[in-house]
Amino acid sequence: MTRKLALLGSAVCLIVSAGAAVADDLPVRKAGLWELKMVRTGSAMPDMTMQHCTDESVDKEMNNNVSPMAKQICAKQDIKKTATGYVSDSECNVAGISTTSHAEITGDFNSAYTVKTSSHAQGGAVGAAGRDTTMTLEAKWLGACKADQKPGDIVMPGGFKMNVRDVDKLKALLPK
């Protein structure tokens, strides 16, 4: 059960990251199947590779659904265009853990993009010291979605499958 909650927590983080990557001023990803590889340092969470079937409507829905959730948990979430891509800075608080993050987003959103994030978390368990982590999300377009997939489907490690359109169900599983 703990592993499944950890995967769901990672999925929510991924959805928030992906939602930021499709904000109004950012390009929408090419429709089809994307491979998303998350590599982390400074975290107990293992690296993971997922597949996400998407289309334009899913990316727009993710932004519309995630934005209100991000507004509830984040006091700051700024995204700015740069010469090489985009930069995002955020300050969020979930379950008593305060996190500041800086992300640099590069790529073309048609064949590949990369999100490099550094964050500092403070709080949580009694006596927990601040934790610094980095995460690199490497996204690569693989082609059309598989026959058994519909837009919004994410296949997590171990075959756990969920749909980002069910984000309200995910929110209910997060600690308050």
Side-chain angles (χ1 to χ4, degrees), residues 29-56:
R29 293 177 296 168
K30 182 177 185 175
L33 187 60
W34 286 84
E35 179 182 82
L36 306 169
K37 182 178 180 182
M38 290 174 44
V39 178
R40 302 172 200 204
T41 58
S43 170
M45 291 297 297
D47 297 348
M48 72 172 72
T49 301
M50 297 161 272
Q51 290 188 344
H52 183 203
C53 174
T54 191
D55 63 12
E56 184 176 348

Side-chain angles (χ1 to χ4, degrees), residues 50-70:
M50 297 161 272
Q51 290 188 344
H52 183 203
C53 174
T54 191
D55 63 12
E56 184 176 348
S57 69
V58 165
D59 272 3
K60 287 182 179 180
E61 281 179 40
M62 283 174 56
N63 186 45
N64 291 337
N65 287 336
V66 171
S67 289
M69 183 168 67

Side-chain angles (χ1 to χ4, degrees), residues 76-97:
K76 173 186 175 185
Q77 191 157 31
D78 297 329
I79 299 173
K80 295 183 175 120
K81 179 143 180 56
T82 66
T84 58
Y86 301 87
V87 171
S88 172
D89 290 292
S90 63
E91 296 173 4
C92 304
N93 192 324
V94 177
I97 300 172

Side-chain angles (χ1 to χ4, degrees), residues 6 21 33 50-51 56 76 91 95 101 107 109 121 129 137 139 144 162 165 171 173:
L33 187 60
M50 297 161 272
Q51 290 188 344
E56 184 176 348
K76 173 186 175 185
E91 296 173 4
S101 300
F109 296 90
L137 172 72
M162 58 176 259
R165 289 181 164 141
K171 287 192 306 190
L173 294 173

